[in-house]
Amino acid sequence: MKLAMIAAFGAALVLSGTSLPAMAQTASPAGCVEDFDAATDYFPDKVEPRHSTFWSISYHNNYKVLTVPNSEFPNGPDLNYVLVQCGTPVPDLADDLEEALVVEIPVDRTMITHANGLAMLDEIGELDTIVGVSNAMINNAANDHWYGRVLDAANDPQNLGSSGIDYEMALGLEADILIMAGYGPGYTEVADASGRGLPAIMVSNRIEPTPLASSEWLKFLSAFYNVEDHANQHFDAIEARYQEVVEKVEGQLPPDYTAAYACIGEQRGCTFMYAHGPRSLNGQILETLGVSNPFAEGNDAGNGMTFDFESSLGRAANADFFILYYEASVNAETIATDSRYQSFPALVQGNYITGTDGNYPECGATNYVHVDRLIRDFAIGMLPELFPGEDGICFTRP
């Protein structure tokens, strides 16, 4: 994943002994340094991962090093991003940092194709740096209030392409970084973009081992904008609200209570049922709430797997509760028109929550960041008596 052009630029700066160009006369982390002092710590506010296992960071006075295991090619070397404070010299990039991507910070031009990353930028207040977005985000903005608000706050973002990334146009935007999702083996989007000379940043929150670890990637992104203190405050609040729900629900459900997270019908390619196991974010929340997942056994895929009618019936016919992915109106029609779903008493009796109508795109972007809201939705559905008068944000009772 070597970015030859950027590496050569960084090496040239090191050899010449010059600094990155200053853009403002200030020594604060928010701007550029006018009079560089090698002994000064230019990053008084710092982040560190407490839950995430997919990124690490080290601080070195005028630069930071972010390291991310390459989820697309797990057997390959880690990805390193060297973030250099504007107006200060690029460090000597040797050994593991020889092929690192050098980024001048704070970033002021961002491209993004990762919906969860978009929600993270919204959380840390950096939407105004966005100059390019995926076609899907632009389409969602036409019908979804949250996407509309987010893109209105961006910097007149350009469409990066209707089928994949238009590399020529993306390069022409001269952005500092391109935020992309790292989904694991079998995907090559980040590698492809890097190979074309784009400053791609891998955000692998979707394959983290816990929900809070997924949310914590907002701290990772904050390092590119020098807003670590802001990110720490927001994540700490998310974590506190998440733990509040866990403590409130603890011991309130029967020990043999079973709940399944599933997509039903042919929408979104679900065929009969597409259910999550213990490794998905939703499966992890079920486990955190102390319920048994009938689809857990043998279902180790990070995003679940398909089950036909017979196998679904064998596993979940007696499930106490379902969490149905996708919009409520579509799910209601599926249950009403396909008699096979009448074989599941929980569905017949309305013992389920379903994706809300009207904010489906928003929830797809924000659920992996605001895991506090997601776990609360699940808890309200299963134990409404503990949350009188409350309704879910992304999942509600039918």
Side-chain angles (χ1 to χ4, degrees), residues 245-322:
V245 174
V246 174
E247 292 169 9
K248 192 168 189 174
V249 171
E250 186 176 10
Q252 298 297 313
L253 289 165
D256 58 349
Y257 193 87
T258 57
Y261 181 96
C263 174
I264 62 173
E266 296 181 359
Q267 304 83 10
R268 309 285 295 181
C270 300
T271 58
F272 184 77
M273 254 184 210
Y274 190 100
H276 284 205
R279 288 188 56 200
S280 77
L281 177 139
N282 300 288
Q284 292 160 18
I285 289 180
L286 291 178
E287 183 177 342
T288 299
L289 292 174
V291 305
S292 297
N293 181 354
F295 290 103
E297 185 179 354
N299 186 4
D300 293 329
N303 203 34
M305 59 186 286
T306 297
F307 294 87
D308 60 22
F309 172 62
E310 293 297 332
S311 58
S312 299
L313 192 63
R315 287 178 179 248
N318 297 316
D320 294 297
F321 195 78
F322 278 89

Side-chain angles (χ1 to χ4, degrees), residues 203-217:
V203 175
S204 301
N205 70 294
R206 295 290 290 267
I207 58 176
E208 282 281 5
T210 67
L212 286 172
S214 172
S215 177
E216 197 170 32
W217 278 81

Side-chain angles (χ1 to χ4, degrees), residues 35-297:
D35 299 310
F36 173 62
D37 176 9
T40 297
D41 181 358
Y42 289 97
F43 310 115
D45 299 321
K46 297 174 173 60
V47 291
E48 62 176 355
R50 296 199 304 266
H51 301 273
S52 174
T53 61
F54 275 90
W55 64 273
S56 61
I57 188 169
S58 59
Y59 288 84
H60 308 270
N61 282 3
N62 74 305
Y63 70 96
K64 317 167 190 179
V65 178
L66 281 164
T67 300
V68 179
N70 191 336
S71 63
E72 292 180 344
F73 299 97
N75 296 325
D78 292 343
L79 307 177
N80 290 299
Y81 310 120
V82 176
L83 316 184
V84 183
Q85 180 62 32
C86 179
T88 72
V90 176
D92 183 15
L93 302 180
D95 301 325
D96 291 343
L97 299 184
E98 259 189 317
E99 298 188 6
L101 171 63
V102 177
V103 179
E104 180 182 277
I105 58 172
V107 162
D108 61 11
R109 292 181 65 81
T110 305
M111 297 184 295
I112 186 165
T113 61
H114 185 23
N116 299 160
L118 186 65
M120 294 173 196
L121 293 188
D122 183 31
E123 195 69 17
I124 62 176
E126 294 298 329
L127 295 175
D128 60 349
T129 69
I130 298 174
V131 296
V133 297
S134 68
N135 182 67
M137 293 176 184
I138 290 177
N139 289 339
N140 285 336
N143 304 300
D144 182 271
H145 173 75
W146 180 83
Y147 269 99
R149 176 186 65 79
V150 165
L151 294 197
D152 281 347
N155 184 10
D156 188 23
Q158 302 301 299
N159 191 331
L160 293 177
S162 57
S163 56
I165 294 177
D166 182 334
Y167 292 109
E168 184 176 354
M169 189 273 290
L171 286 166
L173 288 176
E174 297 183 341
D176 302 306
I177 58 173
L178 165 61
I179 299 171
M180 306 183 74
Y183 286 124
Y187 295 89
T188 62
E189 284 84 351
V190 178
D192 292 344
S194 298
R196 296 294 190 100
L198 291 171
I201 306 299
M202 179 178 284
V203 175
S204 301
N205 70 294
R206 295 290 290 267
I207 58 176
E208 282 281 5
T210 67
L212 286 172
S214 172
S215 177
E216 197 170 32
W217 278 81
L218 67 87
K219 291 160 63 173
F220 168 89
L221 285 181
S222 75
F224 290 88
Y225 304 91
N226 286 345
V227 291
E228 283 96 326
D229 183 57
H230 193 54
N232 282 328
Q233 293 181 43
H234 279 249
F235 177 76
D236 288 348
I238 290 171
E239 182 181 36
R241 292 190 294 263
Y242 185 94
Q243 296 297 349
E244 179 185 11
V245 174
V246 174
E247 292 169 9
K248 192 168 189 174
V249 171
E250 186 176 10
Q252 298 297 313
L253 289 165
D256 58 349
Y257 193 87
T258 57
Y261 181 96
C263 174
I264 62 173
E266 296 181 359
Q267 304 83 10
R268 309 285 295 181
C270 300
T271 58
F272 184 77
M273 254 184 210
Y274 190 100
H276 284 205
R279 288 188 56 200
S280 77
L281 177 139
N282 300 288
Q284 292 160 18
I285 289 180
L286 291 178
E287 183 177 342
T288 299
L289 292 174
V291 305
S292 297
N293 181 354
F295 290 103
E297 185 179 354

Side-chain angles (χ1 to χ4, degrees), residues 6-30:
I6 296 171
F9 171 69
L13 288 176
V14 173
L15 291 172
S16 65
T18 59
S19 299
L20 292 169
M23 300 190 308
Q25 301 304 309
T26 175
S28 72

